[in-house]
Amino acid sequence: MSDAHRTNYDLTTLAARSGEEARPNASVPLAEPIYQSTVYAYPDLNALEESMSGREPSAFYYRNGTPNAATLERAMSILENTEASLVAGSGMAAISASLLGVLKSGDHVVTDARVYGISYALLGEEFPRLGIEVSFVDACNLEEVQAAMKANTKVIHVESLTNPLLTVPDVPALAELAHAHGAILSVDNTFASPAVFRPADHGADLVTHSLSKYLSGHSTAFGGVACGRADLIAAARTRLLRLGGTISAFDAWMTMQGLKTLGLRMRAHSGNAQAVADVLSNHPRVSRVYHPGLSSHPQFVRAAELFPNGFGGMLSADIDDAPSFVKALAGKIPLAPSLADVQSTLSWPWGTSHRALSETERRRLGITPGLLRISIGIEDVNDILGDIEGALE
């Protein structure tokens, strides 16, 4: 699909047709095949030089990329509306490579304290070992972010919807702030997906995802992706090649299969999650619900402006006697430490996503032993509500 068509079609159409531009005008399989070869042959030295120099890029070695990875990268650039994309072996590999493509020893990062637990550990423990200074802030407080900026600040890193409390940073304002200080804005968009929010359209320079979540959507593929300015992605690709965070051809291929239904799935995820949030917010066993579509949410007005097409399928809730609630849902909504499957699942942030943090850090961030993160699937909403209300009773 040519770049000229990007603005003419709905995201649902772009996702369904993603990858077609890689096909020749001959009779070929409708679904792209899996290219499992680890190395590719060239007819002569000139052809090899053209490929290695980037003048006529093509697949030559698995670590450098496969045709399946290239197809997924083209699709993600279109869906996130960015100049380039890079797929990696995991979401953390994509974040690590994209940030290390910008940062060096002596640089400074400002990041939201509410980021995913492993991102928190990467930034708070691993980056300082490399001589990179990191400041954790409340990214929803622009004054606090501004106060943390320094002459050597190169990156502000946030999540479009934080994991697991679903706070909503002001991405446009953060982009403006970052650029005013000569820094870039990096946004992990995993909880939203480009069907719900496109950070680059609001000034973000780098956008990352865990591919195993909404983009693939079926808990069958693993990987990560970074999308953004061509120069930033080129730098990230260099770091990724050296660190060896390659995505498999099969995982790239599987993600493409899920990506084609992204728009349809996200409509169902978003509608169902809103209905569940409304019900939970009025139940006596639930002390608090975290969902941007509730008027009680601290960034409700901002969320409505930035996410006009829904908020995705994620919500979290503090539930009285959470263990009995989880047990009552056994066989209906499974306890599974991931998210964004087509079926609804539960997760326990205290013991999974934020386990690496100390108890003091978890409680300071609002992660309590009774907090459950619920990934609402695309099942019939009445069945989901029946299971949840039955477990609460």
Side-chain angles (χ1 to χ4, degrees), residues 53-73:
S53 67
R55 290 190 292 271
E56 291 290 341
S58 61
F60 63 92
Y61 187 60
Y62 204 91
R63 184 178 62 245
N64 299 75
T66 63
N68 297 107
T71 296
L72 180 55
E73 288 172 351

Side-chain angles (χ1 to χ4, degrees), residues 79-237:
L79 296 185
E80 281 291 7
N81 195 27
T82 59
E83 294 178 349
S85 294
L86 166 68
V87 290
S90 70
M92 290 308 303
I95 291 175
S96 299
S98 59
L99 294 183
L100 289 174
V102 178
L103 298 165
K104 64 182 185 305
S105 179
D107 288 340
H108 177 240
V109 178
V110 176
T111 185
D112 194 350
R114 299 189 183 94
V115 293
Y116 171 54
I118 304 302
S119 296
Y120 189 102
L122 170 73
L123 291 158
E125 298 178 23
E126 300 302 325
F127 276 21
R129 293 176 62 238
L130 301 176
I132 300 169
E133 184 185 2
V134 179
S135 297
F136 289 92
V137 299
D138 176 0
C140 290
N141 185 333
L142 288 176
E143 293 182 356
E144 187 172 333
V145 178
Q146 172 69 65
M149 299 295 287
K150 301 181 178 183
N152 60 336
T153 303
K154 296 297 189 292
V155 177
I156 297 176
H157 178 72
V158 299
E159 295 172 355
S160 54
L161 292 169
T162 63
N163 179 4
L165 299 180
L166 292 114
T167 55
V168 185
D170 190 339
V171 169
L174 288 170
E176 184 176 348
L177 177 60
H179 298 158
H181 286 78
I184 67 163
L185 176 64
S186 166
V187 179
D188 183 337
N189 199 35
T190 297
F191 260 37
S193 89
V196 171
F197 184 62
R198 287 174 166 175
D201 289 349
H202 298 273
D205 303 284
L206 282 171
V207 181
T208 51
H209 290 268
S210 168
L211 292 175
S212 61
K213 310 308 189 292
Y214 284 121
L215 297 179
S216 62
H218 298 78
S219 297
T220 54
F222 195 75
V225 63
C227 311
R229 284 180 7 216
D231 62 320
L232 298 177
I233 296 303
R237 192 178 300 276

Side-chain angles (χ1 to χ4, degrees), residues 43-58:
D44 52 48
L45 293 178
N46 287 334
L48 176 61
E49 175 60 24
E50 290 294 298
S51 177
M52 296 294 290
S53 67
R55 290 190 292 271
E56 291 290 341
S58 61

